[in-house]
Amino acid sequence: MGKAPDTILTDQDPWLTEAIQSQLPRTKHAFCIWHITAKFSGWFLSTLRGKYFDWCNDFYRLYRVETEEEFENEWFMTASKYNLHANKHVVGLYNARKCWVPAFLRGYFFGGMTTTGRSESINAFVKRFIDSHTTLGQFLKQVDIAIQDIQQKEAYDRMLDKHRFHNLEIISPLEDQAQKILTQYAFSMIKEQLERATQYSVLSKTGPNFVMKYFQSVTTTKKRKVYWDGNVTYCSCKNFEFCGIVCRHILQAFSHTGCFEIPDMYLPLRWRSDYLCDEDPSQIQLPTNNNDASQGETTRSVAIDSAPMDDNIGCPPMSNPKGRRKKKRMRGGKELAKQKKTCSYCNEVGHYATTCQTKKANYFFFFGNGKKKNKKKKACEDFPTAETSNNGENKKKITCDDLNLNPIFHLKY
C-alpha cells in the first residue's frame, strides 16, 4: 500500500486556497461544511422565503449521498426545483463540489471530520492557559503545562481501558480483537459498524467480489460492492479510506467467508492503544550509535533540552498582512471644526458646560444649559437669596427672618 496523500480542512478563504495550491500541490484541500451552511441564511433566505427550510433539507440529503453519480443526478434536479440553477452561490458550490461533498472526498483520509470543529476545540483548550496579555516566553511555558495535562489524562484513560471490564454486545471474535487492540474511541466506531453489519446480506458472490444489499432495500439501488480475496479488501463506500475504520460491508464479508480476525493492515497504528503506550515520552530512550555524527546530534539535542529557558524571549518580526495598508484620512474643515470644545451654557470655545465657570457663578439662578429660567428663580427674583463675593461664590442663604416676612406667606425656594 502506497502512502496516502496529505489532507487539510479549512474555510473558503480564496487567499488560503491559492497558497495551498502553490505551496502544497500534493495536499488534498477540503472546505469545512459548517462555514458553508452558516452563510445560507444570507444567500437564500430572501430569495426562497417560505421554501428556505425545504431547500436546507434537500441540501443535507444531497450532502449525505455516498456516490458521485447520485450527487450529479440529484444536484441539477434540486436546483431546478427551487429555480436556483442560475444563482451565483449555487453555481459556485457546484464548481467547488470536489472540495466539500463527501462523495468526492472519500478517497482521502480525513479521520471522519468534515468541519474544523477539532481545531476550534484545540483553540478553546489553549485559551484555558493563555490570554491576550501572555508574552511569548510565558506562552512556551504554558504550552508545556497544557501538554502535561493532556498526558495525564491519556495515562488515566489507558489505565481505565486496561483494568475496566468491557461488555461485548455482539460477542464475536472480531469485536473481541478490536477491543484488545484499538483505543476506546476507535473501538466505539468499529463496534457501531459491527452492529450495523447484521443489517446487510450477500446478494451475490462472484469469486472475491461481493454485492451487499441492505435488508430494507427492495426496489432501491442501495447496494455496495466489496472485494475480499483473503488478504486485501476494498468497498465502494470508501469508509476505510475516509475514516480509517473498516466499514460494515467488509465486516459482513468477513463473517460470510469465515474470517474471524481483521488483518493488521486494516487496524491503523493511529487507532491502536499499544502504539500510544509506546509513544509515551517517559518510555522513549535516546538511540546510541558509534557514528560520531549521530552522537553529535544526540549530544546537541540533549544539551538543547537541558538548557535553561530564557525568560526574555523576543516576539517574532512583524509580517505584512494582506490587503491595502491602512492610512489616516485627512479631515476636512467641517470635521475639524466639530472637534473644538464648545460650552453649551455660555457658547464659548475651550471648555464644556460641566467645567463652565459662569455656570458655577450662577448656579442658584440657572440650571441645565442656562437658556431657560427656573421656576424657583422666577418666583424669588425680586428677593436676594444669597450674599455673593467678588468672585461669584455663594456664601449664605437669606432666611425669612432676615427679610421680615411672615413664614406663612413665604414662597419655597
Side-chain angles (χ1 to χ4, degrees), residues 12-119:
Q12 304 109 293
D13 189 348
W15 299 105
L16 186 59
T17 302
E18 182 180 354
I20 293 174
Q21 291 177 355
S22 61
Q23 301 298 325
L24 304 173
R26 298 183 179 180
T27 301
K28 179 60 179 177
H29 183 204
F31 294 149
C32 171
I33 188 60
W34 183 88
H35 286 87
I36 295 177
T37 56
K39 303 175 182 177
F40 273 17
S41 59
W43 288 353
F44 306 113
L45 186 58
S46 59
T47 303
L48 299 177
R49 297 183 181 275
K51 298 181 180 179
Y52 171 73
F53 294 102
D54 296 335
W55 154 258
C56 293
N57 294 332
D58 290 340
F59 176 83
Y60 284 114
R61 179 181 56 82
L62 286 173
Y63 179 75
R64 290 191 294 266
V65 298
E66 297 182 355
T67 60
E68 301 177 5
E69 293 77 11
E70 294 180 28
F71 180 83
E72 295 288 351
N73 296 333
E74 297 291 336
W75 178 262
F76 292 102
M77 296 177 58
T78 305
S80 301
K81 176 182 177 181
Y82 297 96
N83 197 19
L84 295 175
H85 53 275
N87 186 280
K88 62 179 182 179
H89 302 297
V90 174
V91 174
L93 287 175
Y94 180 76
N95 293 334
R97 62 189 182 279
K98 294 183 179 180
C99 295
W100 61 270
V101 181
F104 294 90
L105 301 175
R106 288 191 172 275
Y108 305 90
F109 177 77
F110 283 92
M113 294 186 297
T114 56
T115 65
T116 57
R118 181 59 60 88
S119 61

Side-chain angles (χ1 to χ4, degrees), residues 288-341:
T288 57
N289 194 346
N290 295 328
N291 193 352
D292 296 338
S294 61
Q295 289 181 358
E297 293 294 332
T298 304
T299 305
R300 185 172 66 88
S301 61
V302 173
I304 292 175
D305 295 338
S306 60
M309 181 179 293
D310 188 7
D311 294 336
N312 299 324
I313 299 178
C315 294
M318 296 293 294
S319 60
N320 295 326
K322 62 182 180 180
R324 182 172 61 88
R325 182 178 297 178
K326 295 182 179 180
K327 295 181 179 180
K328 293 184 177 181
R329 181 176 58 86
M330 299 297 295
R331 298 182 180 273
K334 292 184 178 181
E335 292 178 322
L336 293 175
K338 291 182 179 179
Q339 294 180 351
K340 295 182 179 180
K341 298 179 180 180

Side-chain angles (χ1 to χ4, degrees), residues 177-194:
Q177 178 193 11
Q179 187 270 328
K180 294 179 180 178
I181 297 178
L182 301 179
T183 61
Q184 185 63 26
Y185 174 74
F187 175 66
S188 62
M189 291 192 297
I190 200 170
K191 185 170 65 173
E192 180 184 359
Q193 298 296 328
L194 284 168

